[in-house]
Amino acid sequence: MKKQPETTEKTKQMFIDVFCELYSQKPIEKISIQELANKSGYNRSTFYQYFSDIYELLDFVENNLLNYIKEELAKKELSVHTVQNALHCLDKREYLSILNALLGDYGSTRFLERLKREITLGRLDFNFPQNHSITPYLIEFYLSTSLSLFRLWLRREKDLSSAEFFKLVDNLYTKGVTPYSK
């Protein structure tokens, strides 16, 4: 007897949701399949119907998020706002637990690097000097600062509205911190 696709998808999503909850609280090495299955309300064998191990589940979550970003960015024009566009598309309720896990204290630097590559692969349109030795540093500064501010905003439970946050980031790049000092 085949399971209904809706049931299968619900079960898979439950594993993803519980994984993200656990991963935002502790390193991946400390997450057991037994704990994940128990918290999901399923047994270990059900988990193995969807994923071979915790790392395959992590890859699945990361790849889904990166594919979503890629699809959203493909709809937009190249601009200096590509990083903000990427962050804007992540500012959705359904991605909050995933982002808290992947960009949280226990998230991997590997994911951050993959995210940076996804954002920059031919998509940044800066007036930086071409083929200059400082260009990679300028791009890294821009990306790392944007992602770091986004992570802080998530950790602070979005204490600014989305509009306030993105305006702040834009102002910091265009005007610096001087306007905010006393």
Side-chain angles (χ1 to χ4, degrees):
M1 180 178 199
K2 266 194 151 186
K3 291 185 180 183
Q4 297 294 329
E6 308 86 46
T7 304
T8 301
E9 201 51 45
K10 267 184 170 179
T11 304
K12 188 175 193 176
Q13 189 60 49
M14 178 61 82
F15 283 125
I16 291 167
D17 293 344
V18 171
F19 169 75
C20 289
E21 177 188 326
L22 292 170
Y23 192 37
S24 67
Q25 298 168 3
K26 57 183 162 183
I28 194 164
E29 300 82 25
K30 302 277 185 186
I31 301 171
S32 72
I33 292 172
Q34 186 65 56
E35 175 186 27
L36 180 59
N38 289 346
K39 285 193 87 145
S40 298
Y42 297 98
N43 58 41
R44 287 170 46 107
S45 63
T46 304
F47 174 86
Y48 289 118
Q49 291 175 9
Y50 298 92
F51 306 102
S52 61
D53 59 23
I54 292 289
Y55 296 98
E56 183 181 336
L57 173 54
L58 173 62
D59 283 343
F60 180 83
V61 171
E62 287 181 355
N63 291 335
N64 271 4
L65 186 62
L66 291 171
N67 287 335
Y68 167 73
I69 293 168
K70 187 186 306 183
E71 289 168 10
E72 289 299 306
L73 289 179
K75 298 175 190 174
K76 306 208 182 280
E77 239 178 80
L78 291 179
S79 77
V80 296
H81 299 292
T82 298
V83 176
Q84 282 91 333
N85 287 340
L87 298 179
H88 264 292
C89 73
L90 294 175
D91 182 30
K92 293 189 176 173
R93 179 179 294 264
E94 63 263 27
Y95 293 106
L96 189 57
S97 70
I98 294 169
L99 291 169
N100 281 330
L102 298 179
L103 297 176
D105 292 339
Y106 302 106
S108 74
T109 55
R110 182 184 71 105
F111 174 72
L112 277 174
E113 293 306 314
R114 289 180 71 197
L115 181 56
K116 287 179 195 177
R117 276 194 311 276
E118 191 55 52
I119 293 171
T120 59
L121 288 176
R123 291 192 175 89
L124 291 180
D125 187 23
F126 291 118
N127 289 325
F128 292 155
Q130 291 297 318
N131 300 321
H132 195 280
S133 61
I134 66 165
T135 301
Y137 295 96
L138 298 172
I139 292 171
E140 181 65 23
F141 171 80
Y142 187 80
L143 284 170
S144 293
T145 303
S146 297
L147 288 170
S148 189
L149 289 170
F150 190 76
R151 289 177 73 201
L152 176 63
W153 185 50
L154 289 176
R155 274 196 304 275
R156 293 179 56 94
E157 298 178 3
K158 296 185 172 186
D159 58 342
L160 300 174
S161 70
S162 296
E164 290 171 316
F165 172 75
F166 289 109
K167 183 176 181 181
L168 172 65
V169 172
D170 192 49
N171 284 340
L172 287 171
Y173 284 123
T174 57
K175 299 173 186 164
V177 295
T178 306
Y180 299 98
S181 59
K182 292 180 183 183

